[in-house]
Amino acid sequence: MPDYRRNRVPGGTYFFTVNPLERRERLLVEHIDALRDAVRQVRAQRPFHIDAWAVLPDHMHCVWTLSHGDVDYSSRWKAIKIAFAKTLPRTERLSAVRERKGERGIWQRRFWEHTIRDDQDYAAHVDYVHINPFKHGLVERVADWPYSSFHRFVTDGIYPQDWAMDGAKLKAGERDE
């Protein structure tokens, strides 16, 4: 059995990429209210701060900060995935292994995590979260994507409304200074 090693920093800030099992579907945006409710439920029981989040049709990226001394982001993701899956009808294909284990075929089992190291790393990952809908060709302007914390960042004066208008530069992986 593989040994998945996760970096755990008490009260740390983390970047995540989480994918549904079937990446060809628009599952996450078609059921955005259920996803939001699942996140709210989990945050009520196991608080964490949402620094940035973008939900795309077939995956999502986010940056979270855990409470002082807390390192348990894995159980939060498990609870979010379970709460979301419970809202969906059982129409997905199941592998024999998933069926035997009583699992749903909604989510990939794992998620990708990166521990934020410093302010520059934080800024780069928050920018990446927000530029992602543009990068995937879903919108012409970052501000046009509705399922993103970008709008909160504009309201809070962190980004201007026209942030990332030079999309070619950002697509190449450079930060808009």
Side-chain angles (χ1 to χ4, degrees), residues 113-137:
E113 157 267 321
H114 166 79
T115 304
I116 301 297
R117 297 180 304 268
D118 55 32
D119 290 343
Q120 185 176 356
D121 193 34
Y122 179 86
H125 281 84
V126 168
D127 285 355
Y128 181 81
V129 166
H130 294 128
I131 196 70
N132 214 253
F134 172 82
K135 181 180 150 226
H136 285 282

Side-chain angles (χ1 to χ4, degrees), residues 9-164:
V9 175
T13 300
Y14 303 91
F15 168 83
F16 301 99
T17 300
V18 181
N19 302 316
L21 188 59
E22 298 291 332
R23 294 280 308 259
R24 294 177 305 279
E25 297 181 16
R26 297 181 50 83
L27 181 73
L28 299 178
V29 295
E30 287 177 357
H31 299 279
I32 192 70
D33 290 334
L35 179 60
R36 287 175 174 154
D37 288 344
V39 172
R40 270 192 284 277
Q41 285 175 6
V42 172
R43 285 183 73 202
Q45 297 166 358
R46 300 179 186 106
F48 61 92
H49 181 262
I50 297 172
D51 297 79
W53 204 311
V55 177
L56 283 69
D58 64 347
H59 69 286
M60 57 185 161
H61 298 291
C62 56
V63 176
W64 293 357
T65 299
L66 299 182
S67 301
H68 180 73
D70 194 346
V71 297
D72 190 13
Y73 49 79
S74 292
S75 70
R76 287 170 173 87
W77 275 119
K78 181 179 180 181
I80 289 168
K81 289 176 174 185
I82 289 169
F84 178 75
K86 284 181 177 180
T87 69
L88 302 177
R90 292 183 172 269
T91 59
E92 72 273 11
R93 291 178 304 133
L94 291 178
S95 68
V97 172
R98 284 185 184 266
E99 198 164 349
R100 189 170 51 250
K101 290 184 173 191
E103 296 177 358
R104 297 285 308 265
I106 306 294
W107 296 102
Q108 288 185 7
R109 285 197 180 109
R110 308 286 179 236
F111 54 85
W112 193 82
E113 157 267 321
H114 166 79
T115 304
I116 301 297
R117 297 180 304 268
D118 55 32
D119 290 343
Q120 185 176 356
D121 193 34
Y122 179 86
H125 281 84
V126 168
D127 285 355
Y128 181 81
V129 166
H130 294 128
I131 196 70
N132 214 253
F134 172 82
K135 181 180 150 226
H136 285 282
L138 298 169
V139 290
E140 292 291 318
R141 299 174 332 126
V142 173
D144 294 339
W145 189 249
Y147 312 116
S148 170
S149 58
F150 173 77
H151 308 285
R152 175 172 45 100
F153 277 63
V154 170
T155 299
D156 292 347
I158 298 167
Y159 290 141
Q161 182 70 23
D162 64 350
W163 179 80

